[in-house]
Structures are given as structure tokens and as C-alpha cells.
Amino acid sequence: MVGAGAPTQGARPIDPRSRKDALKRLRWPLGLTRAGLVAERVTHAFWPLWSLAFVVLAALMLGAHERVAVEISWGIGGIALILGFAFLVRGALRFRWPRRTEVLARLDATMPGRPIQAMLDAQAIGAEDDASRAVWAAHQARMRARSESARAVPPDLRVSSRDRFGLRYMALLAFVVALLFGSLWRVGTVAELAPGAGAAQAAAGPAWEGWLEPPAYTGLPVLYLGDQPEGALDAPKGSRITLRLYGDTAAFDISQSVSEAPTAPERANADSAAQPPDITVTRSGHLAIEGEGGRRWEIAMIPDAAPEIEATGPAEASAVGAFTMPFAARDDYEVLEGRARIELDLARIDRRHGLGPDPEPRAAIELPLPMPVARDRQEFEDVLIEDFSEHPWANLPVKITLSAIDAAANEGISPVIETELAARHFFDPLAAAVIEQRRDLLWNRANAGRIAQILRAVSHRPDGVFKHETTYLRLRVILRRIESMAAYGMTDAQQAEIAEALWELALQLEEGTLADALERMRQAQERLSEAMKNGASDAEIARLMDELREATRDYMDQLSREFAQQNRGNQSDQPDQGQRDENAMTMNMDDIQRMMDRIQELMEQGRMAEAQQALEEFQQMMENMRITEGQGGQGQSPGQQALEGLGETLREQQGLSDQAFRDLQEQFNPNSDAGQSQGNEGRSGGLGRGQSHEGQGQGQGQGDGQQPGQGQGQGQRDGQPGQGGDGTAQDLGQSLADRQSALRQQLDQQRRALPGAGTEGGDAARDALDRAGRAMDGAEDALRRDDLADAIDKQAEAMENLREGMRNLGEALAEQGQRQPGQGESPDNLAGGRRADPLGRNMRGAPGVDDNMLQGEDVYRRARDLLDEIRRRSGEQTRPEPERNYLERLLDRF
């Protein structure tokens, strides 16, 4: 067969009417396809012209020509005309009207077998043979039937290959902004730029313009009064009305009664340079412009309501003794700030013993309330967190008043809340007695004599009362000083000094000598932190780092001794080594050493901000940590081993994601923070110094104390990359994709060995791990394509599924343990016990999935600082687009 336009010799001539009949049923698809093709070619040829038109219209509607000199306006207008003519000629030269054959070919290409072309073909061979003609007729009938399914082809209006910088979108955005905030009337003012336009305008008569601008905090748009019809007009309190008169300004009379100084109808100044003063709306009233084209409005002022604030729950003390109280605030626009005022409630205090005398005068406690950073402040809920454990009013009745202030300086006050100033409680009897005497001393220093008598009675027979001789000696020293000051008088400084000494003594009695070691470690951390902030020399930082290492080593030794003493005292009650303190976590000195090595490495590289953050995390972890005796894998059930293995996989996946993000930063911006910090470190094809250390920090697992049963879960026995031991050396020659593949294989092994088969939680855990594996496959494929942005998204999806799987597995193990106690854990622990890691996260279910992950007074401040930093970086246009997209996804999530 051949085309209809070129029949071969011996073929039967084609009847034009048969072609017409064949295409008659396709007139609508052909017509729509032709229209789409025309639109496509017009768009491709003339998109610069209408983009330029949008920009020019937007500038005129926003009044840009009114803010510059006439000469500049003429110059820009001339350039715009030249560009417009050039774009018009360019489009006309490139535009081609689509021919009929092109339309047929485009529609025919969307159907299998090209039936339209087949219908227009003629039989070239066997035209005289009846059998051949029958076959040809059947073929034609089949093609006609297939052509009935023809649908119009949509046009391809994309011009991204021609407009690489998205200029058309910028032009469209400018036009939309002009529609929202500009005015079409301003386009007509272009005529004023012509020579003699001022005289023509004067001859035409006077004119006026006006704008009503609500306060910025309302978020409402500016209203152009020329577009507002006469009658009622709403305006928020504090709105500013600006009027501008042109031509013969004396032809207008302006009156208003909406401001503090209302004006009667008065003639405007004949001097065109003198304009009416701005009007601030402070009440409802009228605004009238009398004269040619004048208008009158009855303005209804919308008052700014005072914000509302209230406590939504009782005041309580957190696990670390911090005062917490939830509250809610709302306003018609937004709450600017909030404060809490705490006063002593003398009427509800039991005035006995040391509280019998009148208290010394103390100022009320004033605290700023936490305000949301990433959320709307029109209506929100938050929690006030503050530590009052050392305050003289700790655990005493108080009155709390919450107040909120909006942007208009309106203040809303909550009802008075009568509660106790929740603070830390001391459970050791001797420590509680010392804290009570400290409270009495701060209540009134006249109690000094009575306090001395009570402390002398407490320490009369120290045997069996004091666990350590040091605490007894400290108490005797404090006692002598109190007796001396009671006899000769006590100053404010001496009162504060004795109160501080009693507080430290109570802490030592409550926590044992561990508090001293912890305090030394805190001081070393604070000195190192201050040195980093103040830009100390490398030698000074190295000396302080050695001091921190020594203090940490002493603290760990003290923890070991404390735990050994507890075990010896509780051997009869806890024969199973798997039963440990509910806040305990296994951690050896090697793990801590690696963390401090990481901090020192960051400081040596000049990454002080990251080193400061790592130091804060280290401090938080050390304050909450409890060390256990023996190896971490002994006495653990298969379920616990599976959870620990999955936790190790999650940490390794996090490390891979962090490295991919750093490589993405360096790839698109070598001068960025990541590029400067890593220097010549390896990219996705290999690991440099930073990655090698990252692999050690993320993949060491349980160290040498790992049990054989854990090797399959963590991959250390197999020498897989990303693990501890010898696997770290292998990381130096492996790409991120290879490490991701090895991590995927490790997850497969863990999934096959996962306990809890047949249970709802176990099956849910397997499904989640299966999704995590597929996400890892996607991440590996993206890494091999060098698409780091997509790889980071897939890795985030894998980590989320890993956390979900660990959560489901933890719930399944908890349920199974409640039904079958005695398998490595006590029934009490399985039923209600909660183990926490050094960050305060629940280890019963899955690491990193507990809602109460962080505690402490600085958590919200640190969260706000982190959000501010992410916002700052996402707003820097010099950063690469993939990095800014990643930061925006972080902001959307939080």
C-alpha cells in the first residue's frame, strides 16, 4: 500500500468523495486538534510578547511611573516599545499556520496502526483480484472502526526549554499582584506624561485620589477609595486615610468625623503643593469629598478586641522538677507577647513552724510566656516551663495571673489561678529536712536560731543517718555558720550563701556523691562552651577538652560504683540481670569517647556552631544517663535484640542521609557551610575524613560487647559497610549507593529474623520494614543516578517506616510479654515499666518514637532557635534550589 497522494501504476483511482466521507466523522477531533496546534504555536512564538505586556501593565497599575522622573518613564517606555516590536516580529517569523496534513498526522499518531493514513491509501497490488479486494475492503473497514476512537490531541503549551529562568511566571506573578493591590485607573495616568499633559489636566478640571490603609498587623489589603462606592465602608481601628488632590485643589471641600480632631467642610488650599493631612480612624463617622466627582462614605470602625488567655490544665512538676502549666491564647488578629505574674498566696499557707513569722518582702515573679514561631498566633496553645526548685516559694501556694498583649497594645488578663508553685521534691528524709530548713531561712532570716537547733538535733547521732562522712561534715560547717550569723546578724549576701550551701547539701544527700562528679563535668562543659563562643585559641580549647574528658571519666566511674552498690543491696530482690533501673541504658566509655572525638573534630574544622550543638546534646545525654554493669547484650530476649538491631540500622540510615545532604550542599554550592567545612572530603564516590568518622559514630553499635545473636541484626559480624570494627575501613572505598545497598541487605536479614510472626503488631512491623526496604531501593537508585535530592527524600521515607516498624514491634513484644512473663524481663517491667535512653526517649517500644523525647526548660528555646536558623537559610536566594526545597520541607513538617 502507498499513500493516497502517490498511487502506484495499476492501482484503482481513489474517489475523492470516499476520502471526504472517511474524514467526515473526524471533523470534531480534527478541528480541536487544529485549534490546539494553533494555540501551541502561538504560545511558543509569542510568549515573550505577552510576558513583557504583563510586566508593563503591572508597573503601570502599581503606579511605578508616578514615582520616577518623567524622563526615566519615557526612557523605560521607549525600551519597552522596542522590545515589544522585536518580540512581535520574532513571533511572526516563527509562527506557521498548521497545514491539514500536519493536523492529520498529529491525530493519526495517537492511534495504533495509523488508521487515518490507512483509510486514505489506495490498493496498489491485486486491484483486479476479487480476493485481494475483499481483503483490502476488510482492512479499510477495520481502520475506519479504529478511527472512530479518535480523540482530540491536547496542545503542548510548555515553553520551559525556551524560558529556562521562568520569566513568564515572574511576569504573571507581577500582574496578579498588581490586580490585587494596584488599580486599573492608574494606567490612564500615562497620558499625564505627555508634553502639555499638566495643562490639559488643569483644563479638564480638578481630580482626587485616596487610599485607606489598615494597620499592618491586620494583614488586610489597602483599599483604593476611587474604587469604593458611596455608602457604608468598614475600617479597622487605626486605619490611615490618605487623600491626594490634583489640578484646582480649591474646588474640593473635605470633611470627616472619624479621627480625634474631626473637621467641618472646609475649602482645600489653593496651592497644589499643599495636600490634606492623613486621617487616622479612631471612631465611626463620615468622610466626605465635596466637589466635582466627590463622594461620601459612612465609615464603621471595627474595634480591636483585647486578646484572651487562660490556663488549660493544672500546674505540675515535670520529671526533672520543672514547673509546667499549659495555656491557650487567642486574638482577633495576633497575640504579640504574653507574661505570667506569680504572687505568694499568704491566705492559703499553713502558718506554722518556720512559716509562722511574716515573710520577708519579695517581688512577684514575672515571666515571658513562650510564643509560637512557625504557627499562627491568632489562636494557639503552648506550655509554660520554668524551674522554680531553688526559689523560696517552691511548692508553696501562689496566685498566677496570665496576660497577653496584641499589636494594638490591648491587654487581656486571665482569671487568677490558685495553685502551688510546683517544683522538685526530695524523697530522701534527710535531704527533705535540709530543704525545709532552707525554705524557712529564705522565708525569714529570724528563723536562723530555730534552724540551727533542728540541724543540730538531726546531726546529733550521725551513725545510720548519713551515708557518707562528707555530707555530715558539710552539715556541721553550715550549722556553725548559721549559729554565728544568728548571734551577730545575717546580711542578704550571707543569707543567699547559706541557702546555696543548703541546696547543694540536699542534692548531695539525695543523689549521693554522684552530684559532685556531675557538677564537675557540668562546669567543664560550661567552660568549654564559653571558650568556643568567645573564640579562644586552639591550645586553650584543647586544654579544656582534656579537662572535660577527665571529668567525664570520673563521672562514669562514680556511676559504676553507684550501680554496683545498688546491685549488692538488691541482689535478693532482683536476681535477673535483665531487671535494671527503669531509666538505665547501656553505654560504655568507648561510645562516649567517640562522641567527644566528634566534638573535637568539629572544633578543629572550625564548625563551632555544630560543635556547640553537639556539646549541648552530649551534656543533656550525660545528665540523664545511668550506666549498667556488664555487657549490653546479656540477658536480652530476641525481641530486644531485634529492636536494638533496627535501632542501629536507623542510626546508620540517618548517617547516610546526613552525608547525602552535605554532598548536595557541596555539589551545588562549594562555598556553602557544608562545602567550607568538608573541604576536599569525598563525595558520593568515596568517603573522606568527615565521612569516615561519621561512619564510626553512626555504625559502631554496641561495640565489643555485642552478643552473637546481635550480629545478624547489626551486621558487625558480617563486616558490612557502615558498621563498627573493620567495616569502617571498608567505608573509605565505598560510594553512598554501595553503603545504601548493604544497609538494604542488612534490613532484609533483620526482617526475616523478626519475632512476633502471626501477631497483629508483628505483621504490621514486617509491612513497615518492607516499605522501608523499598524506599532504600529507591534511594540507592537515586544515588547511582547522582540525584541526591530524590535520594534524601527516599531516605527520609525509609527512616519513617523504620520508626513505625520499631514502634509496632515494641507494642507486639509488650503484649506478648504481658501474657508470658519471665522471658528475660519481669512482668512489672513488661506491664508498666519504661526504660529511657539518655535523651529521655522510651526504649520499651522503639528508640526515637516516644512523644516526650526531650525535657528541660531550654527545649522550647532551642526549638525556636533551630526554626529561626532553618527559616534564615531557606530565605537565602544564593543557596541552591534543592537545598532550599529541602529546608522548606522541614518547615512544612514542623
Side-chain angles (χ1 to χ4, degrees), residues 1 12 54 114 118 243 308 420 526 613 626 735 803:
M1 294 180 292
R12 179 177 299 178
F54 280 160
R114 294 186 176 269
L243 297 176
E308 300 177 6
E420 289 187 355
E526 290 174 1
Q613 181 180 359
R626 294 295 183 269
S735 65
R803 293 188 183 99

Side-chain angles (χ1 to χ4, degrees), residues 357-390:
D358 291 336
E360 295 180 358
R362 292 186 183 275
I365 303 173
E366 296 279 351
L367 294 173
L369 294 177
M371 294 287 110
V373 177
R375 293 177 289 145
D376 185 16
R377 293 190 180 184
Q378 186 174 3
E379 183 174 359
F380 64 92
E381 294 183 0
D382 217 317
V383 180
L384 171 63
I385 301 177
E386 196 71 27
D387 194 349
F388 296 111
S389 298
E390 298 186 51

Side-chain angles (χ1 to χ4, degrees), residues 15-48:
D15 187 359
R17 289 179 298 177
S18 63
R19 293 183 180 180
K20 184 177 180 181
D21 294 339
L23 299 177
K24 186 177 182 180
R25 287 189 291 262
L26 301 177
R27 63 181 181 275
W28 279 108
L30 287 173
L32 294 176
T33 302
R34 181 187 297 275
L37 194 56
V38 171
E40 176 182 323
R41 295 187 177 184
V42 168
T43 301
H44 290 174
F46 294 100
W47 71 266

